[in-house]
Amino acid sequence: MLTFDNLSKTYADGTRALAGITAEVAAGEILALVGGSGCGKTTLLRLVAGLDRPSEGRIVLDGKAISEPRADVGVIFQEPRLFPWLSVADNVGFGLSELASAERRHRVGHALERVGLGGYDKRWPRELSGGQQQRVAIARALITRPKLLLMDEPFSALDATTRASLHEHLLALWQESRPTVVMVTHDVEEAVTLADRIMVMQPRPGRVFDELENPQARPRDHLSPAFEAAKREVLRTLDRSLRDDQPRQQKTAANAGLWW
Amino acid sequence: MSAIEIGTAAAAPEAVPAKRAGRAQLRLAGLVLPVVLAVIWEALVRAGLANGRLMPPPSVVGATLWELAASGELATHAAATLWRVLAGFGLGALAGTVLGALTGALPVARGLLDPTLQALRAIPSIAWVPLFILWFGIFEASKVALIAVGVFFPIYLGVAAAILSIDRKIVEVGRVFRLGRLAMVRRVLLPAILPDWFTALRGGLGLGFMFVVAAEIMGASEGLGYLLVDGQQLGRPATIIAAIISFAVLGKLADGVLVALARPFLRWQDTARDKL
Ligand SMILES: Nc1ncnc2c1ncn2[C@@H]1O[C@H](COP(=O)(O)OP(=O)(O)O)[C@@H](O)[C@H]1O
Ligand SMILES: [Mg+2]
């Protein structure tokens, strides 16, 4: 289980990127963070990754506070960030350098198959398209079998078709070991396709505006009424968050008086 | 759609040899102008229309080169020059790489060293010669020192700039995989600066050949630069041109060796083929 305990981050220049975030993510859950730009989504992910330190509060993963990058946490960035001097296979196996080479080769081969890049092991990153490079990055992050996977708008630079196929690859990989996933996206369709829960955030200071459960069974039918309804709900919440409105529960509570 | 695929698949294997042949032709095209000029000059001198004394025709230069080679003189001079360049290049490259890495990686070192080195860089390297002669004597040491100074600066600047321009995002990936200091240097930082380091080394080697000429012209008893001076003093332009040609060949060969040594490490580079 992943816990955010009254988490705040104020940058050196005084920007309050996050203030008082408290939340829990169950093991194996997929949580999507959505919200306008500047509401601290990237900051939150970097804190969880151990790349930055919180100013206040803590992040606890399975009973241990996170203060630096951990072996059981995988990260996929917005850009593929492959090492251009390593072949595709060596990029995917980057985190397995302690393993014997036969075992490593076996796991790299399997991971590449899983993202649909079997046979690409000897290619250089520059020979791949953007979508293929991002698939290599996914394989690189998942090959160490992390308990927690963090993704910051991982598919935002890709076209809709590539994105849809990557969603499938990702879910297939997720089903293998069921890691907890925290992902940032600005694509509502993507959030409703992948996530069990959607957290809508608001800026200045970065905080949680509202949370929406999305308990649809997988695989999800994009044309089903339930999917459409969930999408509309997220869009509506996002819209309210951008208009700096009150969150759903509080609003109904506040309005109750007017109704009577 | 399948027709298009078949079409491109069939065309691809043919396109590659055609491209290669095209490149070879282009390379040959570069030879046309010098060969034509040489033939014209040779013909003019033979026909008595031009005086070949100050600008000897190719046949005379060729004969001089042959004589120098046959007597073993050419090898002696070339070896002396090559030794000086390699010694100076080795020292300059080592110092440039170490200091460049220091100032590139450590802000403290940059603050301390870089201003002084930048000031020294403003001095034309040849201006050091009198001082070097006083310090190191008139023989090898002062020549090697001059070459080392000439080689040092481009490599120092290149390495420092390469380290400063390493992509922070890719270093972050190293952090995510929890690389220690040494592993980070070996697996991320070194490979990242390798192309720029190589470019700097190549530039440094070229400068090394420039400065060896200066050093040898100012006083030497052997070396290709000595051959230049000797040809001038004895009034033998053919010897001078033979020495110039030898310099060109030697420089090109040394550069080729460096490129060949670096090639296996830079195969991944997009622009590798055009650069090399
Ligand atoms: N390194 C930093 N230094 C100072 N301010 C930052 C830094 N990174 C982000 N910020 C600020 O923190 C806020 C949240 O940024 P970010 O987490 O990137 O938001 P998001 O990913 O939701 O768009 C923004 O106002 C941004 O300008
Ligand atoms: Mg962001």
Side-chain angles (χ1 to χ4, degrees), chain A residues 46 49-52 68-71 73-75 77 79-86 93-95 97 124 126 140-141 144, chain B residues 167-179 183 186-193 265-272:
Chain A
R46 290 180 61 85
L51 290 170
D52 285 327
E68 55 182 14
R70 284 173 47 151
V73 178
V75 183
F77 296 97
E79 326 79 23
R81 299 201 188 180
L82 303 181
F83 299 104
W85 55 84
L86 295 180
F94 191 82
S97 55
W124 299 113
R126 66 177 160 84
R140 177 177 67 183
T144 55
Chain B
D167 188 358
R168 193 187 56 81
K169 291 181 166 180
I170 241 170
V171 177
E172 219 160 55
V173 177
R175 282 185 63 202
V176 165
F177 283 101
R178 310 194 311 148
L179 298 185
R186 188 174 59 80
R187 298 182 70 191
V188 180
L189 303 182
L190 269 182
I193 67 161
F265 299 101
L266 297 176
R267 264 180 317 148
W268 54 272
Q269 244 193 329
D270 215 349
T271 50

Side-chain angles (χ1 to χ4, degrees), chain B residues 21 52 125 152 202 228:
Chain B
S125 303
F152 170 82
R202 253 184 116 183
L228 288 174

Side-chain angles (χ1 to χ4, degrees), chain B residues 17-258:
Chain B
K19 216 177 191 179
R20 211 165 280 164
R23 214 175 291 145
Q25 268 175 9
L26 258 178
R27 211 171 285 170
L28 282 181
L31 282 176
V32 171
L33 186 64
V35 167
V36 166
L37 287 178
V39 167
I40 291 176
W41 188 241
E42 184 79 39
L44 284 175
V45 173
R46 295 232 170 158
L49 295 172
N51 184 347
R53 209 185 63 76
L54 282 179
M55 182 62 205
S59 59
V60 177
V61 174
T64 309
L65 259 176
W66 178 250
E67 264 169 48
L68 285 168
S71 68
E73 257 182 284
L74 187 62
T76 313
H77 291 306
T81 296
L82 196 59
W83 184 89
R84 285 170 189 141
V85 173
L86 290 186
F89 174 73
L91 289 173
L94 186 69
T97 302
V98 170
L99 288 177
L102 269 178
T103 58
L106 304 173
V108 180
R110 183 157 60 250
L112 274 174
L113 292 172
D114 195 57
T116 308
L117 289 171
Q118 295 289 354
L120 289 176
R121 190 169 77 98
I123 302 169
S125 303
I126 310 279
W128 291 105
V129 169
L131 210 52
F132 284 172
I133 289 177
L134 283 182
W135 289 347
F136 304 124
I138 57 165
F139 298 111
E140 296 305 311
S142 57
K143 295 186 182 60
V144 170
L146 172 65
I147 296 164
V149 167
V151 167
F152 170 82
F153 284 105
I155 296 180
Y156 167 75
L157 292 175
V159 170
I163 290 181
L164 285 174
S165 68
I166 291 177
D167 188 358
R168 193 187 56 81
K169 291 181 166 180
I170 241 170
V171 177
E172 219 160 55
V173 177
R175 282 185 63 202
V176 165
F177 283 101
R178 310 194 311 148
L179 298 185
R181 242 165 207 281
L182 240 132
M184 184 72 95
V185 169
R186 188 174 59 80
R187 298 182 70 191
V188 180
L189 303 182
L190 269 182
I193 67 161
L194 210 58
D196 290 344
W197 187 51
F198 169 67
T199 305
L201 285 181
R202 253 184 116 183
L205 187 62
L207 276 178
F209 273 96
M210 221 172 97
F211 282 105
V212 82
V213 178
E216 289 180 345
I217 282 182
M218 283 179 292
S221 55
E222 55 179 14
L224 293 174
Y226 162 78
L227 215 52
L228 288 174
V229 179
D230 197 43
Q232 178 217 326
Q233 284 170 350
L234 298 180
R236 282 197 204 138
T239 306
I240 299 178
I241 295 173
I244 289 175
I245 291 173
S246 306
F247 262 124
V249 171
L250 206 59
K252 186 77 191 160
L253 283 178
D255 185 59
V257 169
L258 192 60

